Amino acid sequence: MGVDISVRIGKLKLKNPVMVASGTFGYAEEFKSFLSLKDLGAIVTKTITLMPRLGNLPPRTCETPCGMLNSIGLQNPGLEAFLREKTGFLKKIKVPVIMSIASEGGPQEFVELARRLDKVDAISALELNISCPNIAGQKSLISQSAGATYKVVSSVRKSTSKTLITKLSPNVTCISEIARAAEDAGSDALALINTLSGMSIDIRSRRPKLAAVTAGLSGPAIRPVAVKMVWECYNKVSIPIIGMGGIMDLESAIEFFLAGATAVSIGTGNFVNPSLSSEVISGLKRYMARNRISNIKDLTGEVLI
Ligand SMILES: Cc1cc2nc3c(=O)[nH]c(=O)nc-3n(C[C@H](O)[C@H](O)[C@H](O)COP(=O)(O)O)c2cc1C
């Protein structure tokens, strides 16, 4: 039985709904010997800021029960070096590249980045990272306020014709309120979730395990939180949702579709099994054929409640 697993995210038509999450796949070249990159639905880059960033001091990752903490702090080469050094390879893969961007200052930096990227062919879409919990000195996240989310997304919307994806934080009381603000402001899709705030302590030294003290929790430990948030937002918005948080196999990917995701993104799973995204794509086709599901759209939001 032939199955159709292509999906639309704004103006993007993806041949399949499986992408790799920002910050867990470098700029793709790092993974070229582990899987056939051209088979991916889309590639999301590590978040890029206008100026280069060294990120936080080490140690900045540690394992936790069923997951990991990271406090990378948006280490990246900055916009100019990214365009000069990374886009050549990304272009050759012929897979839509979603560029994740963040601001170190105010909302104006998002606008500046979007404006400068609008005519860059190598980039198919922008993902606004308004949800990184690992920036020193940051009092709150943009995505912790519906008003601030609306303001940033609507300003960026006016500066780009590219597909706009807004990445939300789970560190909020009501995520669907923020999702609605992003939709009302013109976001074409939502990516959820970013990491949950967490902390781990070494009981021998009595010191935090990571230099930044607090960090972002990811991996299977956060999956039930992520699935619930996708489901909650699916019931409140009409734009597509890219679901992520602890996808480690085909079954966990399908959970996200049933909760309401149009596409899924694999993050921490790439560190455990670098070819996981390829395996999920082929597994999805087999699962659909076996269950006589001809179109992936017939899985989205189909949880029985
Ligand atoms: C080491 C690491 C670095 C990350 N860096 C970024 C980043 O630069 N930008 C971003 O939006 N999310 C970043 N994330 C969050 C992931 O993209 C993803 O939203 C989160 O980890 C949940 O998915 P997972 O449980 O499958 O990893 C990072 C996650 C990890 C583990």
Side-chain angles (χ1 to χ4, degrees):
M1 177 187 174
V3 296
D4 182 1
I5 58 169
S6 66
V7 294
R8 260 191 188 283
I9 305 282
K11 286 190 223 161
L12 293 187
K13 181 147 199 264
L14 309 186
K15 62 180 178 297
N16 71 66
V18 181
M19 44 182 93
V20 283
S22 179
T24 66
F25 208 73
Y27 302 100
E29 190 162 10
E30 297 87 333
F31 279 75
K32 70 181 177 197
S33 52
F34 295 105
L35 72 166
S36 164
L37 294 170
K38 67 174 179 9
D39 295 342
L40 294 169
I43 291 167
V44 186
T45 69
K46 170 76 187 162
T47 298
I48 300 289
T49 47
L50 207 48
M51 302 308 289
R53 275 178 70 88
L54 289 173
N56 293 322
L57 288 173
R60 44 190 200 175
T61 61
C62 71
E63 278 195 46
T64 58
C66 293
M68 66 177 284
L69 282 172
N70 94 80
S71 60
I72 306 297
L74 298 187
Q75 177 186 348
N76 78 89
L79 178 66
E80 289 307 327
F82 168 78
L83 292 176
R84 204 173 50 241
E85 293 159 19
K86 309 289 183 191
T87 49
F89 179 82
L90 286 166
K91 237 169 153 169
K92 280 195 274 181
I93 310 170
K94 299 199 183 340
V95 158
V97 173
I98 300 173
M99 182 168 164
S100 169
I101 56 172
S103 156
E104 292 181 276
Q108 202 45 40
E109 197 174 314
F110 275 110
V111 172
E112 167 82 6
L113 282 159
R115 203 180 46 73
R116 286 171 61 175
L117 289 162
D118 194 39
K119 299 281 177 282
V120 176
D121 289 344
I123 308 300
S124 303
L126 298 179
E127 181 171 280
L128 299 182
N129 179 3
I130 54 170
S131 47
C132 178
N134 299 320
I135 304 179
Q138 177 177 246
K139 283 201 205 80
S140 67
L141 309 173
I142 293 169
S143 64
Q144 283 172 324
S145 149
T149 298
Y150 183 89
K151 227 163 142 180
V152 169
V153 176
S154 54
S155 313
V156 175
R157 179 69 291 171
K158 290 182 202 121
S159 329
T160 183
S161 53
K162 289 196 192 292
T163 293
L164 203 56
I165 300 163
T166 307
K167 185 159 180 184
L168 301 186
S169 169
N171 303 306
V172 292
T173 311
C174 179
I175 195 159
S176 60
E177 217 174 80
I178 315 288
R180 288 266 286 269
E183 179 180 41
D184 291 347
S187 191
D188 296 300
L190 301 170
L192 43 122
I193 58 175
N194 209 319
T195 51
L196 274 158
S197 262
M199 178 174 173
S200 213
I201 299 171
D202 179 334
I203 61 159
R204 281 157 290 273
S205 66
R206 300 195 174 187
R207 297 189 59 80
K209 285 191 184 164
L210 303 187
V213 182
T214 65
L217 180 65
S218 62
I222 71 167
R223 190 190 307 146
V225 176
V227 168
K228 185 239 186 193
M229 288 187 159
V230 167
W231 174 73
E232 226 169 86
C233 291
Y234 178 72
N235 288 302
K236 292 282 164 61
V237 300
S238 48
I239 50 177
I241 296 170
I242 302 159
M244 74 199 82
I247 296 179
M248 302 305 277
D249 49 25
L250 173 67
E251 196 166 314
S252 42
I254 292 174
E255 250 194 277
F256 278 88
F257 289 110
L258 292 173
T262 291
V264 294
S265 218
I266 292 170
T268 303
N270 292 314
F271 301 143
V272 181
N273 173 5
S275 52
L276 177 59
S277 37
S278 261
E279 292 169 19
V280 171
I281 296 164
S282 49
L284 195 54
K285 289 184 195 154
R286 280 197 306 274
Y287 168 86
M288 287 171 60
R290 218 174 30 244
N291 290 280
R292 308 223 138 269
I293 301 164
S294 59
N295 196 309
I296 185 74
K297 292 180 190 73
D298 297 331
L299 265 187
T300 294
E302 289 302 311
V303 57
L304 300 172
I305 291 174

